[in-house]
Every structure is written in structure tokens, then in C-alpha cells.
Amino acid sequence: MSSRGRFITIEGGEGVGKSTNIACVEQCLQERGIRYLKTREPGGTPLAEELRNLLLAPRTEKVCEKTELLLVFAARAQHLEQVIRPALAQGTWVLCDRFTDATYAYQGGGRGLSLATIALLEELVQEGLQPDLTLLLDVDVRTGMARVGKRGGEADRFEREQLVFFEAVRAIYRDRAASNPARFRLVDAGQPLASVQHDIRCAMAEFLERNHG
Ligand code: Z5A
């Protein structure tokens, strides 16, 4: 039986460059010949992608904070059972664009829901499963928002939030990284792209050294 795969997540607030940089993480895995699966949250299965669409679509009806939280965890439960756990059990590594740290940051920090409530749902859905490595891309909020503005396209329900929301998101992300240094690697995403990718490669090299001898 092959050994359990490793679970890597990439996180950050608006405009940190997750989509741009996830390819760099993939390249590190490919160079080592590691079998991996790239996925994302909310989403990753047909049902969870439908829930993602419900979550992100701008709408006139106010979405209650608890409704949002439950939708996020409903999508996660499906994703874990259908995709993440089976892959890890087969020895496939999982690279996930956002996971539960985003829930603490967006629904806890941004929406102001209790972190203890989030922890309860986390335990219910994850039963102790945590990422092995979380790359947190961090940039000051104004810079990130300016990048998203330049990228263009129609803003989703989260992207329509204001500075104060994203400051709260960033604060929770940073707190979580500071209180869990064994799992998190904080990357300064305000640097030029080449420097960001250099730091990601260093973080990955260190992790691979320990996890893929
Ligand atoms: N959400 C939630 O509320 N609760 C949860 O539990 C989860 C999620 C899991 C969708 O996520 C939403 O779901 C998300 C939170 C919520 N909120 N929003 N919005 P998503 O991950 O799909 O959405 P996103 O944040 O928009 O991700 P993204 O598309 O990866 O955006 P990004 O991080 O900003 O990445 P980017 O498109 O690569 O970069 C933005 C621009 O900056 C782009 O033009 C780049 O060329 C540029 N860029 C990137 N890096 C640099 C550097 N270093 N210098 C200069 N310019 C750069």
C-alpha cells in the first residue's frame, strides 16, 4: 500500500496572486515526479461547484452569515469525501486553492462569525484532517485590491466588499499563520513576481526535503 499523500493548501486575501502562483507550486511537485491533484474550494466536485456558484453570485437578497458558513462547509464535506480523502489515501498529493483557513478569514474575520463556531463545524466535517503545509500569500490590502481592479472582469459577491472587510480577512490569516508556524509558510506577495516565486520555491524545497526524501 502506498503511503498517504500530503495535503498542501494555498491561501491569501484579494489580489495576492494565488492563481498566478499555484503553477509555481505545481512545477515544484512535477520536478520531483510527485503524483498530485489540483483542486479548489469552494468547489472541487460537481455539487460543490454548484454550491460555489451559489456562494459567489451577487444577489439582491441578503445572504445571512450563517447561511454562507453552512454552504462553505457543505461544499467542503462533499469535496473531502469525494475527492480529498480518497486521493490522500491512495498516496496522491492534494494541492488545494483555499481551504478552512479561508473560512476563518472570510466568515470569521470578514463576516464576524465566532471562531469557536467555525471550529465546531471544522471538527464535524474534517474529523481532525488538516493540511500538512499552507502557503499564505500576504500583501497589504490596498495593493491587493488595486491588482484585482486592474485584472478587470465582473466582481463576485466577495470582491464587492470594502477595505475594512479585507483588513479583517488579512488579520485573521496572519494570526493563524503566527499561531501555527509548523504548518504555515508566510510569503510576502507584495514583492515582484520573481521574488514571490523564489520564496515559494524555497518553502516547497524545505517541505519536500522533509516529506519526500
Ligand atoms: N471563500 C470563503 O469566503 N470562505 C471559504 O471557506 C473559502 C472561500 C474556501 C472565491 O475564492 C471566494 O470564496 C473568495 C473567498 C471565498 N473570495 N473572493 N474573492 P477564489 O480563491 O476563487 O477567489 P480569488 O480570491 O479571486 O482568487 P484568485 O482568482 O486566485 O485571485 P488572486 O489571488 O488575486 O490571484 P491572481 O488573479 O493570480 O492575481 C491578481 C492580479 O494580480 C493578477 O492580475 C496578477 O497578474 C497580479 N499579480 C499577481 N502577483 C503579482 C505580483 N507579485 N506583482 C504584481 N502583480 C501581481
Side-chain angles (χ1 to χ4, degrees):
M1 198 164 78
S2 55
S3 69
R4 176 188 171 277
R6 297 293 187 271
F7 184 20
I8 300 173
T9 58
I10 182 161
E11 295 275 3
E14 294 306 289
V16 294
K18 284 184 303 91
S19 296
T20 308
N21 287 301
I22 207 159
C24 175
V25 179
E26 287 191 84
Q27 213 177 5
C28 295
L29 298 175
Q30 287 162 6
E31 282 164 6
R32 295 278 191 129
I34 294 172
R35 187 175 74 236
Y36 72 95
L37 171 88
K38 183 175 78 163
T39 184
R40 68 173 181 180
E41 289 220 341
T45 83
L47 172 56
E49 288 290 330
E50 283 187 40
L51 293 170
R52 176 190 178 92
N53 292 338
L54 288 177
L55 272 160
L56 298 194
R59 62 185 72 244
T60 48
E61 178 183 357
K62 177 182 160 31
V63 179
C64 302
E65 288 82 2
K66 286 180 184 164
T67 306
E68 187 176 285
L69 178 67
L70 291 168
L71 284 173
V72 163
F73 270 110
R76 181 162 301 135
Q78 187 71 11
H79 191 203
L80 276 165
E81 289 312 303
Q82 295 295 312
V83 175
I84 297 178
R85 285 188 199 280
L88 294 175
Q90 285 166 14
T92 300
W93 289 36
V94 174
L95 172 58
C96 192
D97 186 340
R98 293 193 190 280
F99 193 60
T100 306
D101 294 302
T103 313
Y104 282 97
Y106 283 81
Q107 281 65 52
R111 302 287 187 224
L113 285 169
S114 134
L115 302 186
T117 303
I118 297 173
L120 276 176
L121 290 171
E122 178 182 32
E123 184 46 38
L124 174 76
V125 169
Q126 290 167 227
E127 298 172 340
L129 180 73
Q130 290 291 333
D132 298 298
L133 170 69
T134 297
L135 296 166
L136 174 58
L137 305 187
D138 179 62
V139 72
D140 76 84
V141 172
R142 284 182 196 280
T143 304
M145 288 176 82
R147 285 182 188 169
V148 171
K150 269 196 226 154
R151 185 178 61 185
E154 207 197 330
D156 67 34
R157 207 165 53 77
F158 291 95
E159 288 167 345
R160 292 172 186 216
E161 291 295 340
Q162 304 299 309
L163 189 75
V164 60
F165 178 92
F166 295 117
E167 293 285 10
V169 166
R170 184 184 187 209
I172 295 277
Y173 266 136
R174 291 176 60 94
D175 280 357
R176 290 182 65 74
S179 61
N180 197 345
R183 169 161 71 89
F184 278 89
R185 288 293 169 271
L186 185 70
V187 175
D188 175 2
Q191 309 174 86
L193 195 54
S195 307
V196 174
Q197 298 200 338
H198 169 80
D199 289 358
I200 289 174
R201 287 187 154 277
C202 288
M204 285 300 295
E206 187 205 327
F207 181 76
L208 290 166
E209 194 60 40
R210 282 185 284 118
N211 289 272
H212 193 254

